[in-house]
Amino acid sequence: MWETDRKSQGLLVSALCVLIISMAPRLLVHITFHDSNVSTVHGRPAGGSKGSLSWRDFAFDSVRRSLQEMESASAGYSAFSRIDAVVDCNEENAYQERLRRWRADRPDGSRLSVRVASHARDAMRHPFALAWMHRAHVAASLEQYDWFLNTEADTLVPGAAVAAQLALASPLYERYGRILGFVRAVNDTSGRTLLSDNTRSVGRAAVVSLSGLGTFVAPPNSFAAAWMYPRAVMTSFVRSRSWGPVPNSPKGMRERAAWGWRDGPAILTPVELIRGRLLGELGV
């Protein structure tokens, strides 16, 4: 009898473990990675500084670093039971095979899967349209994932930023109808971290305190070349006019895709993340 009870308890524990694992959220990631596959034209850099070989190598290394961050046990990404990353490349991209080899070298049992999606030139009216190639896949995957992340190749979304999204994004949207956004930062040659898109302080009217969540600010420029939404936000975004189609003009084409739901609910950022930078002159 005791042996039977022990076996039953063991089966129950196993079932609970499977249930807990299945309840852990899943993340779909799309990374836009364009490469001209040409570093020089008639002895001069192609496409300015972003066409140089050093920049092209930097962009590839940035993508690889982002994937390594997702694969690591860092806070934020470790909360997901599975992360499926798609690297959207133009068909001329010279780094596709290196990305595929990197993927093939991943250890068995890794939570991270990586797929390189090569998009034909004929499928895009302009190279900037590559930034929109994630749209169809994301819209068709709403029921398969709990979270969605989109970023450009040279932008790293660290695990700490993901942890903030997991803690705040859903209640911020469900209770207050706001979206949690990122702010883009860069390190200068002295090692200081500076905001790259917001260089002026904002007035106190931009600061809002939301019960149970904390204090937030609406940054003057909410562009961060990356966005991350839970399924509820993503579903509303996909159904909105902001989702598509691809703009006819190349002006702002890439930025619109990388901005996220810019024309939707207000985009807020926790004050603690930018204290002393955007709000430094206010003493907030």
Side-chain angles (χ1 to χ4, degrees):
M1 180 69 177
W2 171 243
E3 186 64 26
T4 301
D5 288 344
R6 288 182 61 185
K7 289 181 179 179
S8 299
Q9 290 174 352
L11 291 173
L12 177 60
V13 170
S14 298
L16 288 174
C17 289
V18 171
L19 178 61
I20 291 172
I21 292 173
S22 66
M23 291 175 62
R26 295 182 53 161
L27 172 66
L28 175 61
V29 181
H30 271 267
I31 302 174
T32 302
F33 179 23
H34 182 274
D35 174 62
S36 64
N37 200 6
V38 178
S39 295
T40 60
V41 176
H42 304 302
R44 295 185 178 182
S49 61
K50 289 195 174 183
S52 67
L53 181 59
S54 60
W55 173 265
R56 293 173 57 210
D57 284 344
F58 167 76
F60 168 70
D61 287 337
S62 296
V63 172
R64 185 167 54 183
R65 183 180 176 190
S66 290
L67 295 174
Q68 289 171 337
E69 181 79 0
M70 295 172 197
E71 190 177 44
S72 72
S74 65
Y77 289 110
S78 61
F80 297 102
S81 63
R82 184 167 182 83
I83 301 174
D84 293 335
V86 181
V87 183
D88 292 299
C89 299
N90 55 309
E91 61 181 350
E92 303 90 352
N93 192 309
Y95 295 87
Q96 295 181 72
E97 288 307 314
R98 291 171 66 177
L99 281 171
R100 291 189 177 99
R101 288 198 300 270
W102 185 91
R103 176 197 61 186
D105 290 339
R106 299 338 309 136
D108 293 337
S110 173
R111 293 177 300 109
L112 174 67
S113 72
V114 181
R115 177 169 65 89
V116 179
S118 182
H119 300 279
R121 181 183 300 182
D122 293 343
M124 301 179 288
R125 69 171 69 100
H126 190 278
F128 290 165
L130 181 66
W132 292 77
M133 292 299 101
H134 65 276
R135 291 307 219 229
H137 183 225
V138 169
S141 304
L142 290 176
E143 296 305 317
Q144 300 174 37
Y145 298 91
D146 305 282
W147 286 83
F148 303 82
L149 170 62
N150 181 271
T151 180
E152 294 189 337
D154 59 346
T155 301
L156 172 68
V157 180
V162 172
Q165 288 281 346
L166 290 172
L168 298 172
S170 290
L172 184 64
Y173 183 67
E174 294 167 2
R175 300 180 203 171
Y176 299 100
R178 315 287 178 84
I179 293 176
L180 188 66
F182 298 119
V183 286
R184 198 161 53 159
V186 296
N187 293 328
D188 66 8
T189 55
S190 301
R192 297 178 302 171
T193 302
L194 305 171
L195 297 180
S196 60
D197 303 294
N198 293 277
T199 58
R200 297 181 180 180
S201 295
V202 298
R204 291 187 181 276
V207 180
V208 294
S209 294
L210 302 178
S211 177
L213 295 181
T215 305
F216 299 80
V217 62
N221 184 358
S222 58
F223 179 79
W227 47 265
M228 183 175 182
Y229 301 139
R231 184 189 295 153
V233 176
M234 195 72 246
T235 301
S236 297
F237 182 21
V238 168
R239 293 173 180 171
S240 73
R241 290 182 296 177
S242 302
W243 185 245
V246 181
N248 292 320
S249 172
K251 184 178 181 180
M253 180 185 290
R254 178 184 61 81
E255 289 81 1
R256 273 193 58 186
W259 211 308
W261 199 3
R262 177 187 179 187
D263 302 322
I267 298 175
L268 301 181
T269 300
V271 166
E272 286 299 324
L273 294 183
I274 52 179
R275 185 186 300 275
R277 297 180 186 126
L278 185 59
L279 299 173
E281 295 179 7
L282 299 178
V284 176

